[in-house]
Amino acid sequence: MWGVPWWGLISSAAAPVLLIGGWTVAAGLQPRFDPVTDTVSALAAIGATDRWVMNLVFLLVGTCYIVTALALRPAKAPGRLTLIGGAAAGMLVAANPEHAGGFGSVPHFVFASIGFAGLTLWPATAAKRGPAVPWGLRPGPAAAAVAVQFALLAWFGAELILGAHQVGLAERAVGVAQSSWPLAVVLSCYLPLRALAQSQSTKATYASTAAAAPSTEPPTT
């Protein structure tokens, strides 16, 4: 059985909704904020208006990741632990905010880097081989997920280093990708269950029909 508890489905679906909705609300509270050029961390930086909103989002989304990791029983343990580690590091970002003006502290940079790394790499360490493995946990899709997220993370890093004007957009692209993949994996774990249930139902119906049908074999003497 490749099932995931119902609460894992809820937590995996809540993460991208909370993240996107949270940074949208937090950005709307700022007197001046450009989501293309300004980072998400600026919404929780010291001096930001109602910075508690984004800090709360960091904590809630991290909690969703941890709950999802606990629910993903079909995945390998190293992958689940990597997801938990990345989530925990992301939650610690809230406790180590940027300073006013966008100057990040060293702990903020360290925890943010660990969080990005964990959320990017966990699909590779969670993958399994076998025809019955849900597609989201197979090596091919897992490698593709890591490649896409790594490419987006490299874009974000380049924007930060070069001081370009799309750092906020790049960070949001990374966030959407990283928060959406756990949901995709959880949904893939439900597909084999549905197929298995339909197969078992078909077999049971056939067996009951065969048992109820009158025998056409001639009597033996």
Side-chain angles (χ1 to χ4, degrees):
M1 299 289 286
W2 292 108
V4 173
W6 61 267
W7 41 270
L9 178 60
I10 292 178
S11 64
S12 62
V17 173
L18 287 171
L19 184 62
I20 298 171
W23 72 41
T24 301
V25 172
L29 295 172
Q30 307 307 313
R32 289 185 300 274
F33 186 84
D34 187 344
V36 175
T37 60
D38 296 326
T39 66
V40 173
S41 294
L43 297 171
I46 297 173
T49 303
D50 292 320
R51 55 186 295 266
W52 65 269
V53 174
M54 200 64 223
N55 283 325
L56 179 61
V57 171
F58 285 145
L59 295 176
L60 291 177
V61 173
T63 301
C64 287
Y65 286 146
I66 292 174
V67 172
T68 301
L70 295 175
L72 267 177
R73 298 164 186 169
K76 283 186 176 180
R80 300 168 71 187
L81 292 175
T82 302
L83 179 56
I84 291 174
M91 295 169 75
L92 288 173
V93 169
N96 298 273
E98 285 186 348
H99 299 297
F103 177 73
S105 65
V106 173
H108 177 88
F109 175 78
V110 171
F111 287 124
S113 298
I114 295 174
F116 278 127
L119 295 176
T120 298
L121 297 175
W122 81 269
T125 55
K128 289 183 176 181
R129 296 184 181 275
V133 175
W135 67 263
L137 291 173
R138 294 175 185 173
V146 172
V148 170
Q149 293 179 52
F150 183 80
L152 293 173
L153 189 59
W155 175 30
F156 174 52
E159 292 283 337
L160 281 175
I161 295 172
L162 299 176
H165 301 292
Q166 292 184 328
V167 62
L169 179 61
E171 186 181 24
R172 282 161 179 75
V174 174
V176 170
Q178 290 183 337
S179 63
S180 299
W181 183 247
L183 174 59
V185 173
V186 169
L187 290 176
S188 75
C189 291
Y190 275 85
L191 296 178
L193 287 179
R194 178 176 294 183
L196 179 61
Q198 291 177 345
S199 175
Q200 291 177 340
S201 176
T202 301
K203 289 181 179 179
T205 302
Y206 177 79
S208 62
T209 302
S215 175
T216 57
E217 295 182 359
T220 58
T221 57

